[in-house]
Amino acid sequence: MAGSGVLEVHLVDAKGLTGNDFLGEIGKIDPYVVVQYRSQERKSSVARDQGKNPSWNEVFKFQINSTAASGQHKLFLRLMDHDTFSRDDFLGEATINVTDLISLGMEHGTWQMSASKHRVVLADKTYHGEIRVGLTFTAAAKAKDHEHVGGWVHSLRQ
């Protein structure tokens, strides 16, 4: 599938996260998310003192330039616990395959997946909670159309 456009990731919230604090201080985790698509990375704000049910409600945009005729498009969401005095702890990861979303967006100009839950797992695939994410892909030609009507592409340049 060849094509280009913009992938918008709406990071909503997470539920039931389990931390690595052996002292049982699960309420003390300060979660944030590193969203990655290929070499592009975006980092959410830290949900301070929100523990295992944090809420972000943030949107991240990724430039998609795909010349590959085949291949999977995957979005990785790494959940981390922000620690002030030590290295941030890994809480788990969710993987979202966005290949179909991009195909449908290329075909229809834009395609949206409303916020849905994705499993947060460790490397051994054990369940460590869930994260809610909404996705929108807008094909490049469609994104250019928005520029003329004062859409978000235009507003980024002001």
Side-chain angles (χ1 to χ4, degrees):
M1 170 194 71
S4 61
V6 175
L7 176 66
E8 279 185 60
V9 179
H10 180 198
L11 177 63
V12 183
D13 56 18
K15 296 254 184 304
L17 298 180
T18 47
N20 296 333
D21 286 337
F22 297 111
L23 303 172
E25 296 186 34
I26 188 64
K28 303 266 193 253
I29 64 173
D30 298 315
Y32 67 92
V33 182
V34 178
V35 185
Q36 183 183 358
Y37 173 80
R38 298 200 170 160
S39 63
Q40 302 172 64
E41 259 190 15
R42 308 281 183 272
K43 187 177 157 185
S44 77
S45 59
V46 174
R48 293 206 178 278
D49 300 321
Q50 291 192 32
K52 53 186 174 178
N53 300 311
S55 180
W56 293 280
N57 203 23
E58 295 175 19
V59 176
F60 304 97
K61 292 181 175 147
F62 292 87
Q63 221 35 69
I64 309 294
N65 290 306
S66 171
T67 50
S70 64
Q72 299 289 297
H73 293 269
K74 288 189 176 167
L75 195 64
F76 297 98
L77 298 104
R78 271 195 324 277
L79 284 92
M80 304 294 290
D81 174 17
H82 174 74
D83 286 324
T84 307
F85 302 109
S86 60
R87 224 175 87 223
D88 292 358
D89 296 320
F90 176 70
L91 297 174
E93 181 174 72
T95 304
I96 305 172
N97 190 327
V98 292
T99 309
D100 290 347
L101 174 79
I102 293 171
S103 302
L104 290 161
M106 291 307 299
E107 194 179 321
H108 298 279
T110 186
W111 199 260
Q112 186 171 7
M113 281 172 57
S114 54
S116 56
K117 295 171 184 171
H118 301 274
R119 290 169 56 89
V120 173
V121 296
L122 293 183
D124 62 2
K125 302 295 177 214
T126 53
Y127 179 82
H128 269 243
E130 60 191 29
I131 188 165
R132 217 156 43 110
V133 178
L135 301 164
T136 305
F137 176 76
T138 305
K142 191 79 173 165
K144 284 193 185 358
D145 292 345
H146 285 286
E147 200 168 17
H148 304 301
V149 294
W152 60 264
V153 174
H154 178 73
S155 64
L156 284 177
R157 296 202 180 117
Q158 291 179 338

